[in-house]
Amino acid sequence: MKIVRLCQFSDVDKLVELAHKAGPGMTTLKPDPGAQAARIDRVRRTIEGSAAIADQGYLFLMEETDTGEIVGVCGIETAVGLEQPFYTYRIDTSVYASREMHIWSKMDKLTISHDLTGYTELCSLFLDPLHRVSCNGALLSKSRFMFLAQFSDRFGERVCAEMRGVFDENGDSPFWRALGSHFYRIDFHEADRLVSLGKKSFLAELMPRFPVYIDFLPDDAKACIGATHKDTTPARHLLESEGLRLERHIDIFEAGPVLEARIDSLRVMRESGLCSVVISDTHKAAPSAPHLIATGKLKKFRTGLIYTAPEQGLIMLTPAEAKALQVSTGDQVRMMEAYPRRVV
């Protein structure tokens, strides 16, 4: 059984190995043992309550319980932009009109923004390509929503998620080539590396001071705005199914979409519920649509997928499922259908 759990210090080497498979564009997932160990330490301090809110974050790993293999990672940052600026481009619209000429035009422009300061961020999502089958992607991505619902008092009002943008066949970003490279004068991957190390002062020092009109950009750069990398498109669809949407913000490097939502408007806040565990190796439950199930303890938080629906406030688990989720009879868990029901 695959489960998603909070990371531990013993996971550093496996996390670095997974990061090697991610490729360019994932600022928060680099194959650096020191950086990953420091991030896991942040998780420890966050759980213990010793981290300032600006430093709080959670990192989750997908584990195959039979083998101990780590096949995926995802994270939550409690509140972005409080210590290090959280820059995006905001898409604004200007209208120009001439009564005398009977002409009007509407033009979109990009303006550097701090609008998302204080948002909770869903981040660092990566699933080993060999395991992008069945419901693994849904389990990995949506486990974070179960965590948000279970521990909502640890987060603010709004959530966002930066999606990886478009790269060409050479691994370069057309948007960066058309815009960012003229201001920062360094390679995209070098800029990405500096940001991953927390060295962001060059952004404020060199970024454009005035709005950039989108119509002035080359066609290949314009096509990148709000577009998602082909490998990240399934992740975007999963987040949109839970209530996040592209509103007005994009990534300042490769123009990938930044999805947003109020936490209290997410599907998990409406449709998930608590029930009690009953362990039975003889009960034969009727087959069901996949359900997310999450344990209620912070340090031992775990999420898995089962194909059994709760009945009258109870959920029947097999001994193997209970062992993987580390729950006992009588424990309270949170459950929700993995996919929203289609309205006919």
Side-chain angles (χ1 to χ4, degrees), residues 210-224:
F210 302 101
V212 175
Y213 285 90
I214 292 176
D215 282 351
F216 293 174
L217 297 175
D219 288 342
D220 61 348
K222 288 190 286 188
C224 293

Side-chain angles (χ1 to χ4, degrees), residues 1 16 21-22 48 126 132 143 199-200 222 225 274 287:
M1 181 177 179
V16 170
K21 303 177 183 179
E48 292 176 352
F126 178 72
R132 293 174 187 172
S143 63
K199 299 179 180 180
K200 298 183 179 181
K222 288 190 286 188
I225 295 175
L274 301 177

Side-chain angles (χ1 to χ4, degrees), residues 118-241:
Y119 276 45
T120 291
E121 184 191 14
L122 306 180
C123 60
S124 305
L125 181 75
F126 178 72
L127 181 60
D128 188 322
L130 296 178
H131 293 268
R132 293 174 187 172
V133 296
S134 188
C135 299
N136 289 343
L139 170 59
L140 182 61
S141 178
K142 299 186 181 196
S143 63
R144 296 173 296 183
F145 294 99
M146 300 295 277
F147 193 85
L148 289 175
Q150 196 76 346
F151 307 105
S152 58
D153 59 321
R154 288 179 164 259
F155 303 99
E157 294 182 353
R158 299 188 67 90
V159 62
C160 67
E162 287 186 303
M163 297 282 95
R164 191 178 181 188
V166 172
F167 293 81
D168 62 22
E169 63 277 5
N170 297 317
D172 296 322
S173 165
F175 183 82
W176 173 267
R177 186 166 56 239
L179 183 54
S181 65
H182 295 287
F183 289 91
Y184 301 111
R185 300 289 180 173
I186 56 176
D187 176 75
F188 171 91
H189 301 295
E190 175 62 12
D192 190 49
R193 185 187 72 84
L194 290 173
V195 169
S196 73
L197 296 174
K199 299 179 180 180
K200 298 183 179 181
S201 61
F202 77 96
L203 296 177
E205 293 163 351
L206 300 175
M207 66 176 47
R209 300 288 188 268
F210 302 101
V212 175
Y213 285 90
I214 292 176
D215 282 351
F216 293 174
L217 297 175
D219 288 342
D220 61 348
K222 288 190 286 188
C224 293
I225 295 175
T228 309
H229 190 282
K230 59 182 177 60
D231 291 342
T232 310
T233 297
R236 177 176 182 172
H237 291 162
L238 288 174
L239 294 180
E240 290 175 334
S241 74

